[in-house]
Amino acid sequence: MRQAISHSGIRFRLLAGGLSLLLGLSAQAASYAVPHAALSLLPGDGQQAEVRHARDTVAGAALPDLGLSPPAGRAHVGLETMFSSQQGSWYFEPFVNNGLFRAIAGYQAHHPQAVVISGGSITLDQMAASLSDPRVLRRHKDGYLLSYPLVIAPGAALLIEDTALYLYTYSGTALINRGLLSLKGATLSSWNGEQPQSTQDPYRPFVMAWAGSQVRIEGSRLLRLGYNANLARGITTALSTQQPASTAPARVLVRDSEFTDLSTGLELQHAQARIQGSRFNDQQQYAVDLRDGQVEVAGNQIRGVQNNSGVRVRGEVRGLIAGNQVLDTAKSAIEVVEQRGALGIRQNLLGASRGNGILLGQLAPTQDQPLLVEGNLIGNTQGSGIDASEVGGALFLVDNQVGNTPEYAISLRNTQRLSGSLVLTGNTLGGIGKAMVRVEGLEQIVLGGNRYQGSPVLQNFLIGDLLPVQSQVLEGTVRHPCLLRVRTGVAVPATDLVVDDSCRG
């Protein structure tokens, strides 16, 4: 049974009595030696300026208006022969060995053909009238049934508005977009004629949009598309090896739409993508899979991912993932690995994942390309709330709430010590099975304003490189409102550091 999660479903409070037991300290200012780590006080306004800079840098990576509009004039539509390996057939070649041509051969008795739209815009009604061939496109249920692959050429557009387009599974139907594919108030779905699907050679229709193309999906429903093969998992964008590296990214706008039972709802590479207010239900691999692009993923609901994470980010991706609800995923709710670029993960509700809330791996953010994880509510995960590994650079974990996990609230482990700074401020952590915070192998950690719920008799609040200075850090950042920098892995002489309520100043 899925676990429900809400802002009111996770309660945090500071157990002041237990903290005093851990510290064993009076209310007076503390003076202490620092073994194997160096602690120093930081001015609060300086740290606030760093966080503001990270926010401003992420805001500066915001997407411009995508400017999607159909070309003028009536498009031409006709049938053309598909070649799997010939000059100019590069946009078919990736599908030679993934089942598309095999499925086509089961339906078309001649050399494979595709419907090609060129030179303007066209609707389904207009296309059906022009083709006048029910084996290719015919009336079906509340719209049309397409049984041939369809190619939208550069400078052309297919407009599907207030109707449905069904893609016949057993004829190798797919939409190959190099122009504009526009869905408004529409339904796009596979249809198998109620025949059982083969498990030996699985195939489902898909949408492939090459770099330079445009995709607009507004107020629409997409159902049962894609299967687990390269570039065929659902709605996909990519830059072909046959396209110049300078080719403009695909532009994708998805708004107020619903994706149900796709292999991957949106697999976007080399794209500028704005995904807003949409729902992803029961995806197989990922709901949103992003690589090399500029993105805004805001206000979406993701419920149920069978095999992997809800949102995955890789490569040179910059932008914002904000205000989303991601529940019931097989792995992490949000996964960021081998990523570069200013990226904000803000104010998301993440829970009931069978992995971590947020997974971060192999990252080296910088002050000019920060990773800002701020204001997220994470709970009821089977892994840690935030789990990071092989991370250096400038990582900001600010004002998050993490609760109800059997692992760690926040865990960062590097196999080798990496330079950089983790800013860990204003977080509320409670209901944690292991330690609240584990940090290993990072040069500097900045802590302050974090609130902890737990029993210090039964668990450590801070472990790893922070364990030797756990009581000092808690005294300086919880009992007194100070901001501390901990430099790890250094052997320093015993020195005195005094903290008191003067930090409020």
Side-chain angles (χ1 to χ4, degrees):
M1 184 175 66
R2 296 180 181 174
Q3 293 173 286
I5 179 173
S6 67
H7 283 269
S8 61
I10 301 177
R11 304 295 185 192
F12 298 93
R13 68 183 186 279
L14 177 63
L15 300 184
L19 183 58
S20 295
L21 178 62
L22 174 66
L23 298 173
L25 299 168
S26 68
Q28 309 210 348
S31 177
Y32 46 79
V34 184
H36 308 300
L39 274 69
S40 57
L41 290 172
L42 294 175
D45 55 353
Q47 197 58 43
Q48 291 172 6
E50 285 191 23
V51 174
R52 284 197 300 270
H53 176 73
R55 290 176 183 144
D56 292 344
T57 303
V58 169
L63 270 176
D65 182 76
L66 295 175
L68 306 182
S69 58
R74 169 77 175 267
H76 170 78
V77 59
L79 297 178
E80 295 185 9
T81 300
M82 297 174 65
F83 295 99
S84 60
S85 180
Q86 184 171 302
Q87 182 71 27
S89 65
W90 58 265
Y91 49 93
F92 290 131
E93 289 177 11
F95 311 114
V96 172
N97 298 316
N98 78 351
L100 174 63
F101 279 74
R102 182 186 63 247
I104 293 172
Y107 184 80
Q108 297 187 31
H110 44 73
H111 196 93
Q113 291 182 318
V115 179
V116 177
I117 300 171
S118 57
S121 300
I122 197 167
T123 67
L124 289 180
D125 287 342
Q126 293 169 339
M127 189 165 69
S130 293
L131 291 170
S132 189
D133 187 345
R135 280 186 54 82
V136 178
L137 181 68
R138 66 176 175 84
R139 275 282 183 185
H140 179 75
K141 296 184 178 181
D142 53 343
Y144 288 89
L145 175 66
L146 177 67
S147 300
Y148 271 42
L150 183 145
V151 176
I152 305 171
L158 173 59
L159 310 180
I160 307 173
E161 300 184 3
D162 301 319
T163 188
L165 177 60
Y166 297 92
L167 309 177
Y168 188 40
T169 298
Y170 295 106
S171 62
T173 312
L175 303 184
I176 311 297
N177 179 30
R178 300 180 62 202
L180 167 65
L181 173 63
S182 177
L183 283 73
K184 284 189 173 183
T187 296
L188 182 66
S189 173
S190 67
W191 186 74
N192 62 8
E194 312 306 327
Q195 300 177 51
Q197 187 167 355
S198 168
T199 56
Q200 180 179 358
D201 296 312
Y203 175 88
R204 287 201 307 186
F206 58 89
V207 176
M208 176 66 219
W210 289 109
S213 68
Q214 304 172 49
V215 177
R216 180 174 59 196
I217 302 172
E218 296 185 274
S220 296
R221 299 169 61 238
L222 297 95
L223 303 96
R224 299 183 295 277
L225 298 174
Y227 61 108
N228 195 22
N230 184 41
L231 304 180
R233 294 185 178 93
I235 313 298
T236 303
T237 68
L239 174 70
S240 169
T241 56
Q242 302 297 313
Q243 291 181 288
S246 59
T247 303
R251 287 178 285 164
V252 179
L253 173 64
V254 177
R255 183 179 292 147
D256 301 328
S257 295
E258 184 172 347
F259 297 71
T260 302
D261 185 19
L262 279 72
S263 180
T264 291
L266 294 165
E267 183 176 28
L268 306 180
Q269 304 176 37
H270 197 71
Q272 290 183 315
R274 176 169 284 118
I275 306 162
Q276 296 177 326
S278 295
R279 298 171 301 283
F280 298 80
N281 304 312
D282 300 320
Q283 310 301 294
Q284 295 175 14
Q285 304 302 326
Y286 299 91
V288 179
D289 192 2
L290 305 169
R291 184 167 188 168
D292 298 333
Q294 188 176 11
V295 302
E296 179 185 316
V297 183
N300 304 285
Q301 294 182 5
I302 296 171
R303 292 178 177 267
V305 177
Q306 297 177 19
N307 298 324
N308 291 297
S309 300
V311 178
R312 181 170 67 165
V313 182
R314 298 173 295 160
E316 192 167 337
V317 176
R318 63 192 188 279
L320 185 64
I321 301 171
N324 303 286
Q325 184 182 96
V326 186
L327 306 177
D328 191 17
T329 58
K331 293 187 178 178
S332 300
I334 297 176
E335 174 183 342
V336 183
V337 293
E338 298 181 337
Q339 178 267 344
R340 304 172 305 282
L343 180 66
I345 302 174
R346 306 183 64 188
Q347 299 177 337
N348 300 284
L349 175 62
L350 313 174
S353 62
R354 297 185 289 284
N356 306 293
I358 297 176
L359 175 67
L360 309 173
Q362 302 180 60
L363 306 173
T366 66
Q367 294 294 337
D368 292 330
Q369 294 187 334
L371 177 56
L372 174 64
V373 180
E374 180 180 23
N376 300 285
L377 176 59
I378 305 170
N380 297 340
T381 63
Q382 293 184 20
S384 296
I386 300 174
D387 185 272
S389 62
E390 313 311 322
V391 174
L395 174 60
F396 295 84
L397 305 182
V398 179
D399 296 339
N400 300 287
Q401 297 184 57
V402 183
N404 299 347
T405 170
E407 294 293 320
Y408 302 92
I410 296 170
S411 173
L412 189 156
R413 298 185 73 188
N414 295 331
T415 55
Q416 296 182 345
R417 188 166 302 280
L418 298 176
S419 63
S421 175
L422 166 64
V423 175
L424 190 65
T425 59
N427 300 284
T428 302
L429 315 174
I432 306 302
K434 296 183 178 178
M436 302 287 182
V437 177
R438 174 176 66 174
V439 180
E440 298 178 5
L442 188 63
E443 187 178 81
Q444 297 185 63
I445 306 103
V446 175
L447 302 106
N450 298 301
R451 295 170 294 279
Y452 308 93
Q453 173 193 5
S455 171
V457 176
L458 302 176
Q459 68 181 148
N460 286 303
F461 285 0
L462 310 175
I463 67 167
D465 294 340
L466 295 172
L467 182 58
V469 292
Q470 175 179 219
S471 60
Q472 295 96 316
V473 170
L474 293 174
E475 169 71 10
T477 63
V478 175
R479 185 185 296 281
H480 302 288
C482 294
L483 197 65
L484 297 182
R485 174 185 284 123
V486 181
R487 291 179 57 229
T488 66
V490 296
V492 297
T495 58
D496 287 340
L497 180 66
V498 177
V499 295
D500 55 31
D501 281 349
S502 65
C503 292
R504 294 186 188 280

